Amino acid sequence: MAWFTIVVFFVRNNILSFFNFETSVLNDVDIKELLVEYDVILPKKRVYPFISAKKHYEKNHNSNDLELLKCVLNEKCPEYVDSFDRVMNRTSIHLYNMFIMNKDNAIAYCEWLFDILFELELKVDIDDYDAYQSRVFGFLSERLLNVWVQHNSLKVKSLNVYEPDGRRYFEKIKKFISNL
């Protein structure tokens, strides 16, 4: 199994974020100021212009895992199923599994998330998954963060993310178009 680390940072929303990394990364003062007005800081949404978040997941991962997740949600916290459906039917979604929120919200989210993921782990068989697809619980938790934020009506500040290694946007666009 290949292990790797992706380093990403939240950056201020300005054009200089892409040219002057050192002065653009959020610091603790920025974060404290933002959390006075917002409940959570998330990466800007990824937009899928022609398909829903659900269809995008199904094209790129095992769709059965998404169905199992919905079943676990229905068993453990049925009040979240409507929010799950709303999130999965949208054409945009926050990814990266990155967030900044106050301690109480972070604890509540993590307790909710890991209760679901531990139950889901008992139902999902990853024996035949490659290294990429075996990250299934990370992919699903990205969706669950959106569900939790939606259900709890949190006020969101979306910020750009800086990736020192860059992104292969052209390759991603080409792959996306070929999957249509």
Side-chain angles (χ1 to χ4, degrees), residues 47-107:
V47 177
Y48 305 117
F50 307 113
I51 61 174
S52 67
K54 179 181 181 182
K55 291 291 182 197
H56 180 268
Y57 189 92
E58 290 171 342
K59 281 182 168 279
N60 292 285
H61 307 287
N62 185 338
S63 62
N64 188 51
D65 297 338
L66 200 58
E67 292 304 315
L68 288 171
L69 173 58
K70 188 171 180 178
C71 289
V72 169
L73 273 178
N74 202 33
E75 292 168 12
K76 297 193 96 34
C77 44
E79 68 277 14
Y80 280 83
V81 172
D82 187 49
S83 294
F84 176 82
D85 289 337
R86 279 193 216 134
V87 165
M88 296 311 297
N89 286 318
R90 289 186 187 140
T91 58
S92 63
I93 193 165
H94 298 281
L95 296 177
Y96 291 103
N97 270 329
M98 290 175 64
F99 63 86
I100 300 174
M101 60 180 84
N102 70 37
K103 181 180 177 180
D104 291 339
N105 279 342
I107 289 170

Short mmCIF file of all heavy atoms in Angstrom, two decimals, residues 47-107:
data_model
loop_
_atom_site.label_atom_id
_atom_site.label_comp_id
_atom_site.label_asym_id
_atom_site.label_seq_id
_atom_site.Cartn_x
_atom_site.Cartn_y
_atom_site.Cartn_z
N VAL A 47 -17.18 22.20 -7.65
CA VAL A 47 -18.41 22.27 -8.44
C VAL A 47 -18.36 21.22 -9.54
O VAL A 47 -17.37 21.10 -10.26
CB VAL A 47 -18.58 23.68 -9.07
CG1 VAL A 47 -19.81 23.73 -9.95
CG2 VAL A 47 -18.67 24.73 -7.96
N TYR A 48 -19.44 20.47 -9.65
CA TYR A 48 -19.62 19.50 -10.72
C TYR A 48 -20.74 20.04 -11.60
O TYR A 48 -21.92 19.85 -11.28
CB TYR A 48 -20.00 18.13 -10.17
CG TYR A 48 -19.02 17.61 -9.14
CD1 TYR A 48 -19.41 17.38 -7.82
CD2 TYR A 48 -17.70 17.36 -9.48
CE1 TYR A 48 -18.51 16.91 -6.88
CE2 TYR A 48 -16.79 16.89 -8.54
CZ TYR A 48 -17.21 16.67 -7.25
OH TYR A 48 -16.32 16.21 -6.31
N PRO A 49 -20.41 20.71 -12.69
CA PRO A 49 -21.44 21.45 -13.44
C PRO A 49 -22.52 20.60 -14.09
O PRO A 49 -23.61 21.09 -14.33
CB PRO A 49 -20.64 22.21 -14.50
CG PRO A 49 -19.31 21.56 -14.56
CD PRO A 49 -19.09 20.87 -13.26
N PHE A 50 -22.25 19.33 -14.36
CA PHE A 50 -23.22 18.53 -15.11
C PHE A 50 -23.81 17.36 -14.35
O PHE A 50 -24.71 16.70 -14.84
CB PHE A 50 -22.56 17.99 -16.40
CG PHE A 50 -21.94 19.07 -17.22
CD1 PHE A 50 -20.57 19.13 -17.38
CD2 PHE A 50 -22.72 20.05 -17.82
CE1 PHE A 50 -19.99 20.13 -18.14
CE2 PHE A 50 -22.15 21.05 -18.58
CZ PHE A 50 -20.78 21.10 -18.74
N ILE A 51 -23.28 17.09 -13.16
CA ILE A 51 -23.78 15.93 -12.41
C ILE A 51 -23.86 16.27 -10.92
O ILE A 51 -23.23 17.21 -10.45
CB ILE A 51 -22.89 14.68 -12.61
CG1 ILE A 51 -21.45 14.94 -12.13
CG2 ILE A 51 -22.92 14.21 -14.04
CD1 ILE A 51 -20.57 13.70 -12.17
N SER A 52 -24.61 15.48 -10.20
CA SER A 52 -24.74 15.66 -8.76
C SER A 52 -23.52 15.09 -8.04
O SER A 52 -22.75 14.30 -8.60
CB SER A 52 -26.00 14.95 -8.27
OG SER A 52 -25.84 13.55 -8.41
N ALA A 53 -23.38 15.46 -6.78
CA ALA A 53 -22.31 14.91 -5.96
C ALA A 53 -22.45 13.39 -5.85
O ALA A 53 -21.46 12.66 -5.84
CB ALA A 53 -22.34 15.54 -4.57
N LYS A 54 -23.69 12.92 -5.82
CA LYS A 54 -23.92 11.47 -5.77
C LYS A 54 -23.44 10.79 -7.04
O LYS A 54 -22.72 9.78 -6.99
CB LYS A 54 -25.41 11.18 -5.56
CG LYS A 54 -25.72 9.70 -5.52
CD LYS A 54 -27.20 9.43 -5.34
CE LYS A 54 -27.45 7.93 -5.27
NZ LYS A 54 -28.86 7.62 -5.13
N LYS A 55 -23.81 11.33 -8.18
CA LYS A 55 -23.38 10.74 -9.47
C LYS A 55 -21.86 10.79 -9.60
O LYS A 55 -21.24 9.85 -10.11
CB LYS A 55 -24.05 11.44 -10.65
CG LYS A 55 -25.53 11.19 -10.74
CD LYS A 55 -25.82 9.77 -11.11
CE LYS A 55 -27.32 9.56 -11.24
NZ LYS A 55 -27.69 8.15 -11.20
N HIS A 56 -21.27 11.88 -9.15
CA HIS A 56 -19.81 11.99 -9.20
C HIS A 56 -19.17 10.88 -8.36
O HIS A 56 -18.23 10.23 -8.79
CB HIS A 56 -19.33 13.36 -8.72
CG HIS A 56 -17.86 13.49 -8.76
ND1 HIS A 56 -17.06 13.20 -7.69
CD2 HIS A 56 -17.03 13.86 -9.77
CE1 HIS A 56 -15.80 13.38 -8.02
NE2 HIS A 56 -15.75 13.79 -9.28
N TYR A 57 -19.70 10.67 -7.14
CA TYR A 57 -19.16 9.61 -6.29
C TYR A 57 -19.32 8.25 -6.97
O TYR A 57 -18.39 7.46 -7.01
CB TYR A 57 -19.85 9.60 -4.92
CG TYR A 57 -19.16 8.67 -3.96
CD1 TYR A 57 -18.17 9.15 -3.12
CD2 TYR A 57 -19.46 7.31 -3.92
CE1 TYR A 57 -17.49 8.30 -2.26
CE2 TYR A 57 -18.80 6.45 -3.07
CZ TYR A 57 -17.81 6.96 -2.25
OH TYR A 57 -17.12 6.09 -1.41
N GLU A 58 -20.49 8.00 -7.52
CA GLU A 58 -20.76 6.70 -8.15
C GLU A 58 -19.87 6.45 -9.36
O GLU A 58 -19.51 5.31 -9.63
CB GLU A 58 -22.24 6.62 -8.55
CG GLU A 58 -23.17 6.53 -7.36
CD GLU A 58 -24.63 6.66 -7.70
OE1 GLU A 58 -24.95 7.16 -8.81
OE2 GLU A 58 -25.46 6.27 -6.86
N LYS A 59 -19.49 7.50 -10.08
CA LYS A 59 -18.60 7.34 -11.24
C LYS A 59 -17.17 7.04 -10.82
O LYS A 59 -16.42 6.44 -11.58
CB LYS A 59 -18.60 8.61 -12.10
CG LYS A 59 -19.80 8.75 -13.00
CD LYS A 59 -19.65 10.01 -13.84
CE LYS A 59 -20.66 10.06 -14.93
NZ LYS A 59 -20.30 9.27 -16.09
N ASN A 60 -16.78 7.50 -9.64
CA ASN A 60 -15.38 7.42 -9.24
C ASN A 60 -15.09 6.43 -8.11
O ASN A 60 -13.93 6.18 -7.82
CB ASN A 60 -14.89 8.81 -8.82
CG ASN A 60 -14.84 9.74 -10.00
OD1 ASN A 60 -13.94 9.63 -10.83
ND2 ASN A 60 -15.81 10.62 -10.11
N HIS A 61 -16.13 5.91 -7.49
CA HIS A 61 -15.96 5.00 -6.36
C HIS A 61 -17.03 3.91 -6.43
O HIS A 61 -17.85 3.89 -7.33
CB HIS A 61 -16.09 5.77 -5.04
CG HIS A 61 -15.18 6.96 -4.95
ND1 HIS A 61 -13.83 6.86 -4.77
CD2 HIS A 61 -15.45 8.29 -5.04
CE1 HIS A 61 -13.30 8.07 -4.74
NE2 HIS A 61 -14.26 8.96 -4.91
N ASN A 62 -17.04 3.05 -5.44
CA ASN A 62 -18.03 1.98 -5.36
C ASN A 62 -19.35 2.55 -4.85
O ASN A 62 -19.45 2.97 -3.69
CB ASN A 62 -17.52 0.88 -4.43
CG ASN A 62 -18.43 -0.31 -4.38
OD1 ASN A 62 -19.62 -0.23 -4.69
ND2 ASN A 62 -17.88 -1.44 -3.99
N SER A 63 -20.35 2.58 -5.72
CA SER A 63 -21.64 3.17 -5.36
C SER A 63 -22.31 2.41 -4.21
O SER A 63 -23.09 3.00 -3.45
CB SER A 63 -22.57 3.23 -6.57
OG SER A 63 -22.83 1.94 -7.06
N ASN A 64 -22.01 1.14 -4.06
CA ASN A 64 -22.58 0.36 -2.96
C ASN A 64 -22.18 0.94 -1.60
O ASN A 64 -22.95 0.91 -0.65
CB ASN A 64 -22.16 -1.10 -3.08
CG ASN A 64 -22.89 -1.98 -2.10
OD1 ASN A 64 -24.12 -1.96 -2.00
ND2 ASN A 64 -22.14 -2.76 -1.34
N ASP A 65 -20.96 1.48 -1.52
CA ASP A 65 -20.50 2.06 -0.25
C ASP A 65 -21.36 3.26 0.14
O ASP A 65 -21.65 3.46 1.32
CB ASP A 65 -19.03 2.48 -0.35
CG ASP A 65 -18.12 1.30 -0.62
OD1 ASP A 65 -18.50 0.16 -0.32
OD2 ASP A 65 -17.01 1.53 -1.13
N LEU A 66 -21.76 4.04 -0.85
CA LEU A 66 -22.62 5.19 -0.60
C LEU A 66 -24.00 4.73 -0.11
O LEU A 66 -24.57 5.33 0.81
CB LEU A 66 -22.75 6.02 -1.87
CG LEU A 66 -23.19 7.46 -1.74
CD1 LEU A 66 -22.25 8.25 -0.84
CD2 LEU A 66 -23.25 8.11 -3.12
N GLU A 67 -24.50 3.66 -0.68
CA GLU A 67 -25.79 3.11 -0.24
C GLU A 67 -25.69 2.55 1.19
O GLU A 67 -26.60 2.73 1.99
CB GLU A 67 -26.28 2.03 -1.21
CG GLU A 67 -26.68 2.58 -2.57
CD GLU A 67 -27.73 3.68 -2.48
OE1 GLU A 67 -28.72 3.52 -1.73
OE2 GLU A 67 -27.55 4.70 -3.15
N LEU A 68 -24.56 1.88 1.47
CA LEU A 68 -24.36 1.38 2.83
C LEU A 68 -24.28 2.53 3.84
O LEU A 68 -24.82 2.44 4.94
CB LEU A 68 -23.09 0.53 2.91
CG LEU A 68 -23.15 -0.83 2.24
CD1 LEU A 68 -21.78 -1.48 2.19
CD2 LEU A 68 -24.14 -1.74 2.96
N LEU A 69 -23.64 3.61 3.44
CA LEU A 69 -23.58 4.79 4.30
C LEU A 69 -24.97 5.32 4.60
O LEU A 69 -25.30 5.62 5.76
CB LEU A 69 -22.72 5.88 3.66
CG LEU A 69 -22.70 7.23 4.38
CD1 LEU A 69 -22.19 7.08 5.81
CD2 LEU A 69 -21.86 8.23 3.60
N LYS A 70 -25.79 5.40 3.59
CA LYS A 70 -27.16 5.89 3.80
C LYS A 70 -27.93 4.95 4.74
O LYS A 70 -28.70 5.42 5.60
CB LYS A 70 -27.89 6.05 2.47
CG LYS A 70 -29.22 6.74 2.62
CD LYS A 70 -29.84 7.08 1.28
CE LYS A 70 -31.17 7.77 1.48
NZ LYS A 70 -31.78 8.16 0.20
N CYS A 71 -27.72 3.66 4.61
CA CYS A 71 -28.37 2.70 5.51
C CYS A 71 -27.92 2.90 6.95
O CYS A 71 -28.74 2.87 7.88
CB CYS A 71 -28.06 1.27 5.07
SG CYS A 71 -28.87 0.78 3.54
N VAL A 72 -26.62 3.10 7.15
CA VAL A 72 -26.10 3.33 8.50
C VAL A 72 -26.67 4.63 9.07
O VAL A 72 -27.08 4.68 10.23
CB VAL A 72 -24.55 3.36 8.51
CG1 VAL A 72 -24.01 3.85 9.85
CG2 VAL A 72 -24.00 1.97 8.19
N LEU A 73 -26.74 5.66 8.25
CA LEU A 73 -27.35 6.92 8.70
C LEU A 73 -28.80 6.69 9.10
O LEU A 73 -29.24 7.20 10.13
CB LEU A 73 -27.32 7.96 7.57
CG LEU A 73 -26.09 8.83 7.44
CD1 LEU A 73 -26.22 9.75 6.24
CD2 LEU A 73 -25.85 9.64 8.70
N ASN A 74 -29.51 5.93 8.30
CA ASN A 74 -30.92 5.65 8.59
C ASN A 74 -31.09 4.89 9.90
O ASN A 74 -32.03 5.13 10.64
CB ASN A 74 -31.55 4.89 7.42
CG ASN A 74 -33.05 5.04 7.40
OD1 ASN A 74 -33.59 6.07 7.78
ND2 ASN A 74 -33.72 3.99 6.97
N GLU A 75 -30.14 3.99 10.19
CA GLU A 75 -30.19 3.21 11.43
C GLU A 75 -29.80 4.05 12.65
O GLU A 75 -30.46 4.00 13.69
CB GLU A 75 -29.22 2.03 11.36
CG GLU A 75 -29.59 0.95 10.38
CD GLU A 75 -28.43 -0.04 10.16
OE1 GLU A 75 -27.44 -0.02 10.92
OE2 GLU A 75 -28.52 -0.82 9.19
N LYS A 76 -28.70 4.78 12.54
CA LYS A 76 -28.12 5.47 13.68
C LYS A 76 -28.68 6.87 13.93
O LYS A 76 -28.77 7.31 15.07
CB LYS A 76 -26.59 5.55 13.54
CG LYS A 76 -25.95 4.16 13.52
CD LYS A 76 -24.48 4.24 13.69
CE LYS A 76 -23.94 4.07 15.06
NZ LYS A 76 -24.51 3.21 16.02
N CYS A 77 -28.99 7.58 12.86
CA CYS A 77 -29.48 8.97 13.02
C CYS A 77 -30.36 9.33 11.82
O CYS A 77 -29.94 10.07 10.95
CB CYS A 77 -28.33 9.95 13.20
SG CYS A 77 -26.95 9.70 12.10
N PRO A 78 -31.57 8.78 11.79
CA PRO A 78 -32.46 8.99 10.65
C PRO A 78 -32.80 10.46 10.40
O PRO A 78 -33.15 10.82 9.27
CB PRO A 78 -33.71 8.18 11.01
CG PRO A 78 -33.62 7.92 12.47
CD PRO A 78 -32.17 7.94 12.84
N GLU A 79 -32.66 11.29 11.41
CA GLU A 79 -32.94 12.72 11.23
C GLU A 79 -31.94 13.38 10.26
O GLU A 79 -32.19 14.48 9.78
CB GLU A 79 -32.95 13.45 12.58
CG GLU A 79 -31.61 13.54 13.28
CD GLU A 79 -31.21 12.31 14.11
OE1 GLU A 79 -31.84 11.24 13.96
OE2 GLU A 79 -30.27 12.43 14.90
N TYR A 80 -30.83 12.70 9.94
CA TYR A 80 -29.83 13.24 9.02
C TYR A 80 -30.03 12.78 7.57
O TYR A 80 -29.35 13.28 6.68
CB TYR A 80 -28.42 12.84 9.47
CG TYR A 80 -27.87 13.69 10.58
CD1 TYR A 80 -28.19 13.43 11.91
CD2 TYR A 80 -27.03 14.76 10.30
CE1 TYR A 80 -27.69 14.21 12.93
CE2 TYR A 80 -26.52 15.55 11.33
CZ TYR A 80 -26.85 15.27 12.63
OH TYR A 80 -26.36 16.05 13.65
N VAL A 81 -30.93 11.86 7.33
CA VAL A 81 -31.09 11.30 5.98
C VAL A 81 -31.55 12.36 4.97
O VAL A 81 -31.06 12.42 3.84
CB VAL A 81 -32.04 10.08 5.99
CG1 VAL A 81 -32.36 9.62 4.57
CG2 VAL A 81 -31.40 8.94 6.79
N ASP A 82 -32.45 13.23 5.39
CA ASP A 82 -32.90 14.29 4.49
C ASP A 82 -31.74 15.21 4.10
O ASP A 82 -31.58 15.58 2.94
CB ASP A 82 -34.03 15.09 5.14
CG ASP A 82 -34.65 16.09 4.19
OD1 ASP A 82 -35.00 15.70 3.05
OD2 ASP A 82 -34.77 17.26 4.57
N SER A 83 -30.91 15.56 5.06
CA SER A 83 -29.73 16.39 4.78
C SER A 83 -28.76 15.65 3.86
O SER A 83 -28.16 16.24 2.96
CB SER A 83 -29.02 16.78 6.07
OG SER A 83 -29.85 17.63 6.84
N PHE A 84 -28.60 14.35 4.09
CA PHE A 84 -27.75 13.53 3.22
C PHE A 84 -28.25 13.59 1.78
O PHE A 84 -27.46 13.83 0.85
CB PHE A 84 -27.74 12.08 3.73
CG PHE A 84 -26.96 11.13 2.85
CD1 PHE A 84 -25.59 11.03 2.97
CD2 PHE A 84 -27.62 10.34 1.91
CE1 PHE A 84 -24.87 10.14 2.17
CE2 PHE A 84 -26.92 9.46 1.11
CZ PHE A 84 -25.53 9.36 1.25
N ASP A 85 -29.53 13.41 1.59
CA ASP A 85 -30.10 13.44 0.23
C ASP A 85 -29.90 14.81 -0.41
O ASP A 85 -29.55 14.90 -1.59
CB ASP A 85 -31.58 13.08 0.26
CG ASP A 85 -31.81 11.61 0.57
OD1 ASP A 85 -30.90 10.78 0.34
OD2 ASP A 85 -32.92 11.27 1.04
N ARG A 86 -30.10 15.86 0.36
CA ARG A 86 -29.91 17.22 -0.18
C ARG A 86 -28.47 17.43 -0.63
O ARG A 86 -28.20 17.95 -1.71
CB ARG A 86 -30.28 18.27 0.86
CG ARG A 86 -31.74 18.52 0.93
CD ARG A 86 -32.03 19.79 1.74
NE ARG A 86 -33.24 19.54 2.48
CZ ARG A 86 -33.43 19.82 3.74
NH1 ARG A 86 -32.49 20.40 4.44
NH2 ARG A 86 -34.57 19.56 4.32
N VAL A 87 -27.53 17.04 0.23
CA VAL A 87 -26.11 17.22 -0.10
C VAL A 87 -25.74 16.40 -1.34
O VAL A 87 -25.07 16.90 -2.24
CB VAL A 87 -25.22 16.81 1.10
CG1 VAL A 87 -23.76 16.63 0.69
CG2 VAL A 87 -25.35 17.84 2.23
N MET A 88 -26.21 15.18 -1.41
CA MET A 88 -25.82 14.31 -2.53
C MET A 88 -26.48 14.71 -3.84
O MET A 88 -25.98 14.37 -4.91
CB MET A 88 -26.12 12.85 -2.19
CG MET A 88 -25.31 12.32 -1.02
SD MET A 88 -23.53 12.64 -1.09
CE MET A 88 -23.08 11.74 -2.54
N ASN A 89 -27.57 15.45 -3.79
CA ASN A 89 -28.24 15.90 -5.01
C ASN A 89 -27.73 17.25 -5.51
O ASN A 89 -28.12 17.69 -6.59
CB ASN A 89 -29.76 15.94 -4.80
CG ASN A 89 -30.34 14.54 -4.79
OD1 ASN A 89 -29.96 13.70 -5.58
ND2 ASN A 89 -31.23 14.29 -3.86
N ARG A 90 -26.87 17.89 -4.75
CA ARG A 90 -26.29 19.17 -5.18
C ARG A 90 -25.20 18.92 -6.23
O ARG A 90 -24.67 17.82 -6.36
CB ARG A 90 -25.66 19.90 -4.00
CG ARG A 90 -26.68 20.43 -3.04
CD ARG A 90 -26.00 21.26 -1.98
NE ARG A 90 -26.96 21.63 -0.98
CZ ARG A 90 -26.72 21.65 0.31
NH1 ARG A 90 -25.52 21.35 0.77
NH2 ARG A 90 -27.65 21.99 1.16
N THR A 91 -24.85 19.99 -6.92
CA THR A 91 -23.77 19.90 -7.91
C THR A 91 -22.48 20.52 -7.39
O THR A 91 -21.58 20.84 -8.17
CB THR A 91 -24.19 20.58 -9.23
OG1 THR A 91 -24.52 21.94 -8.95
CG2 THR A 91 -25.35 19.85 -9.89
N SER A 92 -22.38 20.68 -6.08
CA SER A 92 -21.15 21.18 -5.47
C SER A 92 -21.03 20.60 -4.07
O SER A 92 -22.03 20.23 -3.45
CB SER A 92 -21.17 22.72 -5.42
OG SER A 92 -22.22 23.17 -4.61
N ILE A 93 -19.78 20.52 -3.60
CA ILE A 93 -19.54 19.90 -2.29
C ILE A 93 -18.18 20.36 -1.75
O ILE A 93 -17.24 20.57 -2.51
CB ILE A 93 -19.61 18.36 -2.41
CG1 ILE A 93 -19.69 17.70 -1.04
CG2 ILE A 93 -18.49 17.81 -3.26
CD1 ILE A 93 -20.12 16.24 -1.10
N HIS A 94 -18.09 20.52 -0.42
CA HIS A 94 -16.82 20.83 0.22
C HIS A 94 -16.04 19.51 0.34
O HIS A 94 -16.56 18.52 0.85
CB HIS A 94 -17.03 21.38 1.63
CG HIS A 94 -17.79 22.66 1.68
ND1 HIS A 94 -17.23 23.88 1.41
CD2 HIS A 94 -19.09 22.90 1.98
CE1 HIS A 94 -18.12 24.83 1.55
NE2 HIS A 94 -19.27 24.26 1.89
N LEU A 95 -14.79 19.51 -0.12
CA LEU A 95 -13.96 18.31 -0.02
C LEU A 95 -12.76 18.57 0.89
O LEU A 95 -12.74 19.53 1.64
CB LEU A 95 -13.52 17.87 -1.41
CG LEU A 95 -14.67 17.45 -2.34
CD1 LEU A 95 -14.14 17.09 -3.72
CD2 LEU A 95 -15.45 16.28 -1.76
N TYR A 96 -11.79 17.71 0.85
CA TYR A 96 -10.51 17.78 1.59
C TYR A 96 -10.57 17.29 3.04
O TYR A 96 -9.52 17.16 3.66
CB TYR A 96 -9.93 19.20 1.62
CG TYR A 96 -9.43 19.71 0.30
CD1 TYR A 96 -10.17 20.61 -0.45
CD2 TYR A 96 -8.19 19.29 -0.19
CE1 TYR A 96 -9.71 21.10 -1.65
CE2 TYR A 96 -7.72 19.78 -1.39
CZ TYR A 96 -8.49 20.68 -2.11
OH TYR A 96 -8.02 21.16 -3.30
N ASN A 97 -11.74 17.10 3.62
CA ASN A 97 -11.80 16.73 5.04
C ASN A 97 -11.09 17.76 5.90
O ASN A 97 -10.41 17.43 6.87
CB ASN A 97 -11.21 15.34 5.28
CG ASN A 97 -12.24 14.25 5.18
OD1 ASN A 97 -13.39 14.46 5.48
ND2 ASN A 97 -11.81 13.08 4.75
N MET A 98 -11.22 19.01 5.53
CA MET A 98 -10.62 20.11 6.28
C MET A 98 -11.72 20.98 6.88
O MET A 98 -12.69 21.28 6.19
CB MET A 98 -9.77 20.99 5.36
CG MET A 98 -8.51 20.38 4.86
SD MET A 98 -7.68 21.46 3.66
CE MET A 98 -7.27 22.88 4.65
N PHE A 99 -11.54 21.36 8.12
CA PHE A 99 -12.47 22.31 8.73
C PHE A 99 -11.79 22.98 9.90
O PHE A 99 -10.83 22.44 10.47
CB PHE A 99 -13.76 21.62 9.21
CG PHE A 99 -13.55 20.60 10.29
CD1 PHE A 99 -13.51 20.98 11.63
CD2 PHE A 99 -13.39 19.26 9.99
CE1 PHE A 99 -13.33 20.04 12.65
CE2 PHE A 99 -13.21 18.32 10.99
CZ PHE A 99 -13.17 18.71 12.32
N ILE A 100 -12.28 24.15 10.22
CA ILE A 100 -11.90 24.82 11.46
C ILE A 100 -13.22 25.25 12.09
O ILE A 100 -14.07 25.88 11.46
CB ILE A 100 -11.02 26.06 11.21
CG1 ILE A 100 -9.72 25.66 10.50
CG2 ILE A 100 -10.72 26.77 12.54
CD1 ILE A 100 -8.85 26.84 10.08
N MET A 101 -13.41 24.86 13.36
CA MET A 101 -14.61 25.25 14.10
C MET A 101 -14.27 25.28 15.58
O MET A 101 -13.18 24.83 15.97
CB MET A 101 -15.78 24.31 13.81
CG MET A 101 -15.56 22.86 14.15
SD MET A 101 -16.96 21.77 13.79
CE MET A 101 -16.73 21.39 12.07
N ASN A 102 -15.18 25.79 16.37
CA ASN A 102 -14.89 25.84 17.81
C ASN A 102 -14.86 24.42 18.39
O ASN A 102 -15.31 23.46 17.77
CB ASN A 102 -15.87 26.76 18.55
CG ASN A 102 -17.28 26.21 18.62
OD1 ASN A 102 -17.50 25.00 18.77
ND2 ASN A 102 -18.26 27.08 18.52
N LYS A 103 -14.29 24.32 19.57
CA LYS A 103 -14.07 23.02 20.21
C LYS A 103 -15.37 22.23 20.39
O LYS A 103 -15.41 21.03 20.11
CB LYS A 103 -13.38 23.24 21.56
CG LYS A 103 -13.07 21.97 22.30
CD LYS A 103 -12.38 22.28 23.62
CE LYS A 103 -12.11 21.02 24.43
NZ LYS A 103 -11.45 21.34 25.70
N ASP A 104 -16.43 22.88 20.86
CA ASP A 104 -17.69 22.17 21.10
C ASP A 104 -18.25 21.57 19.81
O ASP A 104 -18.68 20.41 19.80
CB ASP A 104 -18.73 23.09 21.75
CG ASP A 104 -18.35 23.47 23.17
OD1 ASP A 104 -17.55 22.75 23.80
OD2 ASP A 104 -18.87 24.49 23.66
N ASN A 105 -18.24 22.35 18.74
CA ASN A 105 -18.72 21.83 17.46
C ASN A 105 -17.82 20.72 16.94
O ASN A 105 -18.31 19.72 16.40
CB ASN A 105 -18.82 22.95 16.42
CG ASN A 105 -20.08 23.77 16.56
OD1 ASN A 105 -21.04 23.35 17.19
ND2 ASN A 105 -20.07 24.95 15.96
N ALA A 106 -16.52 20.89 17.10
CA ALA A 106 -15.58 19.87 16.61
C ALA A 106 -15.79 18.55 17.35
O ALA A 106 -15.80 17.48 16.73
CB ALA A 106 -14.14 20.36 16.76
N ILE A 107 -15.97 18.61 18.65
CA ILE A 107 -16.21 17.38 19.43
C ILE A 107 -17.53 16.74 19.02
O ILE A 107 -17.60 15.53 18.79
CB ILE A 107 -16.16 17.68 20.94
CG1 ILE A 107 -14.73 17.99 21.36
CG2 ILE A 107 -16.74 16.51 21.75
CD1 ILE A 107 -14.60 18.53 22.78
#
